[in-house]
Amino acid sequence: AVQESLDPLLEPILLHQVSKSGTSLVIKLGTDTVNYNPNFRIYFTTSLRNPHYPPEVSTKVVLTNFMITQEGLADQMTNFIVQHERPKLAKQASELVVKIAQMAGSLKAIEDEVLKMLRESKGNILDNQELVDKLKDSKVKRDHVDKKMKDAEKKQNLVDTTRKQYSPLANFSSHLFFCITLLANVDPMYQNSLTWYMNVFDRSMDLAAQDSDIEERVQAIAETFKIQLYENVCRALFEKDKLLFSFMLCLNIMGQEERLDPAELRFLLTGGMVTADNPPNPASAWLSSNSWGQLCNLGKLKGFENFVEQFTENVKFWEEYYQDKNPFQKELPEDLQDITMFQKMIILRCLRPDCVVDAIQTFVENEPSLGKEFIEPPLFDLGKCFEDSSSTMPLVFILSVGVDPAKDVYALGKEKGFEAPERLIDISLGQGQGIKAERAISKAVEDGSWVLLQNCHLCVSWLPRLEKIVQDLNPDTTNKDFRLWLTSMPSSDFPVSVLQNGVKMTNEPPKGLRANLKSTFAGIDEDLFDSSEREDKTQFQKLMFGLAFFHALVQERRTFGPLGWNIPYGFNDSDQDISRQQLQQLLDGYKDIPFKALRYLIGQLNYGGRVTDDWDRRLITFMCEDFVTDKILGDGYQFESKGAYKAPAKGATLDDYNDYIANLPLVDWPTVFGFDDNATMIKNNKDTLKLLDTLLGLQPRTGGGSGKTREDVIEELAVDIQKRMPELFEVERAKVKFPVVYSESMNTVFVQELVRFNRLLSTVRTSLVELVKALKGQVVMSTELEAMGNKMFDGQVPDNWTKKSYPSLKPLAGWVSDFLERLNMFANWMKGGSPNVYWISGFFFTQSFLTGTKQNYARKYTIPIDEIVFDFEVVPEVTKEHKSKPSDGCYIYGLFLEGAKWGEKENCILEALPKQLYSVMPTIQIKPCAKKELKQDKILYKCPVYKTSTRAGQLSTTGHSTNFVLAVDLRTRKSHPEKFWVRRGVAMLTQLDT
């Protein structure tokens, strides 16, 4: 099977470069010239699910799509259903098809015989008695066959009438098949074959309630099949994708029943294209400009024409809606009483995107065709998965961070009588392990053992061989007890056929602090609990609990994304196990507990050894101090301010610890992580955006609404952006106007920035021109241009722009506006000289600006640049229109504080207001000074500044992420020391995501 590109050696064949040598036709292949037969044909097949062949390939071959169509599958499903439900009728239908074909053949034979006789007859036909007799005989035969044909057609009509009664079920099930095939675009491991799908459908027909009424029976099968399909697909999905699948099913069914407006769905997924030409925001105190832009777009949607006007007139109600804990359930104004639940979700998407995921759950639960069963995935059951497998059907564990399914396989093996190493062979794949695995499989196929091949993703080169081995498994020659178990992280290299025909499973670690602690203490028995040799055993028990809580916290912080950790580290149980062993050794070996050594071992080595980001290392050090401390040994030590999480009392038994864990809150309080409620809101916003973006990527590339085709929408957008783009900067003129001067490094910074922006601007302008030409058919639509059009249609920044761009997470409209603002800043700089207050967010490479600031100071006072550091002062009185520059350093603005706000009266950082996710920082003065002159007489929080909210980037040689800009010292109160803000994840950003 070929991939999306073909071997260049085939080029002469594809281009038909045949020449004549003497009397023979020849063709040159590589360095060889071979004879060519005109009857030669070459056929290629591909196993790729949705290949995209570029023009340089597709113009040289004939592409044939053998993928089954929805109509074709519906016809197959009808036959399949009738065969199961009415086997006699199905048999009769098959026989009728054969009989009708045979009778049609007989009629044709009679007609051919008559024509032959007439052709061969000589003289007067009426004088030829033999011919007349034969013609009479042919007429009798024909009349007889005609009668049989009419009888057969009547029976066929009866069969067709019965088949039509099952057609709605066939159509319904065929649509759902194409719904689940889309999952492969979400994760390459979510592959399902038609054979597997038909097996699930067949099982559903067996399980569905019997009923003599065909309509009732069809309904029963459909209901059973929906649940069976959901449960079978869900066991192979990660938790994050289970609600996505439920919503996909919901939208698919609504689409079949014509209850879904494509324009409304597209608005839910994209929020529309936010533009700059909106009326003034009537609620700027609490409503962001992005949300207001989406509401203005909503007013262009059918059914919402008067919404903006209604919103403006009733701002008070919408503020209450915005502040409500559950706005989706809030009753809307009278003029919006008749809107559907889906339309309510669209309004929610504009005002409170953090609530959309919960709203989708409610929507699916209330959908008449689905219900509560479709938001409560079945629990993991390895025994049931095993029952669904066979000797030729492998069982595939799709792994996630921190998961080790080997112990589950070992436990099941023990229960079924397949214990290692005699009847269960466990091999961890890697370099050179392929041959060992082949031998093990070959032996197990004969004697009926189990083979467990772990981490298949680490042996990519051997996977094609694994695919061949699985395909060659023959039920007649394979021991029925043989089972092949495979584990792999998601990988696009994993064989598709193995995934499609195997039993796929996921079993993620428990979510939440309570579940995590339960999992830890499930592995602690009385012997381990009382195993310390210290006189006071409770010290080990309390510190062991503190370690377990610390372990749960570092894992669960990952759910908060960049607020939790800049990089999501793969902390696992082995980190806790080695830390517990070291804890016991040091407690048993020393009279006085060496807390400093313990904190170093746990926070810096065992867990900290995984941490590669300096700011994450600062966090884990502070976190470790809260749990590996002498304070935990006393009673009443709290892990958070509200007192819901604390260390159990001294003298508590193992059962007391387990009871305490069982009574912890089911949903984690953000305060235990050091966060406030805003952190949950930020997390939920990102979850919503991720779910909707994933769903958007699965939508068909069809029309853009308002009667416009997709191509019309893209062209209109491309032309609009093209018109707004200015001309390239005159770099040579800038070099003359801002020459390289010893005393002013900013001239060099400015020219370098113009070069970078010109590179990006040139790419944007050129690609837009090419895209418009390609849409009009004037040039070939290349793969890059097609991808660019797809991204623009979805309101996203094209990849060919992001490759040349500064880091940004903004959607297309926001990115274009931001880009134009940056260009405008440098155009003004070119026109009127460097600004008095710099917009730090506008620089392409911010570090060069900071280095230029240091360099100016170093040259002015003749101090080595590596001895210079920055001091900072927040100066709210300085606005961007300030008339003068500081004598040393510079003023900067344009930063956003995430997780806190700046108190202008208090002149320090304070806790953010409810639902205040980001706050604008006032102007900051950067003051370069020698290290020895830097005053340390203030209570400060060293606040990192990042370019985007992902915070993570590529790790540079400085130990910082490439997303990192600098650390700014901000004043804080004594009641809120640095540790408080570190645990809260407070940072500054140069730009927001909208």
Side-chain angles (χ1 to χ4, degrees), residues 857 867-873 925-938 940 942 967-969:
Y857 187 83
E867 290 182 13
I868 295 173
V869 293
F870 287 139
D871 193 9
F872 304 91
E873 185 180 351
Q925 184 180 354
I926 298 179
K927 301 177 177 180
C929 63
K931 284 180 186 176
K932 59 186 177 184
E933 295 173 6
L934 187 65
K935 295 178 181 179
Q936 300 288 353
D937 59 344
K938 295 172 283 191
L940 300 171
K942 194 170 281 296
V968 176
D969 293 326

Side-chain angles (χ1 to χ4, degrees), residues 887-901:
S887 54
D888 292 318
C890 60
Y891 295 125
I892 61 167
Y893 75 98
L895 296 176
F896 300 89
L897 197 55
E898 183 178 25
K901 70 169 186 173

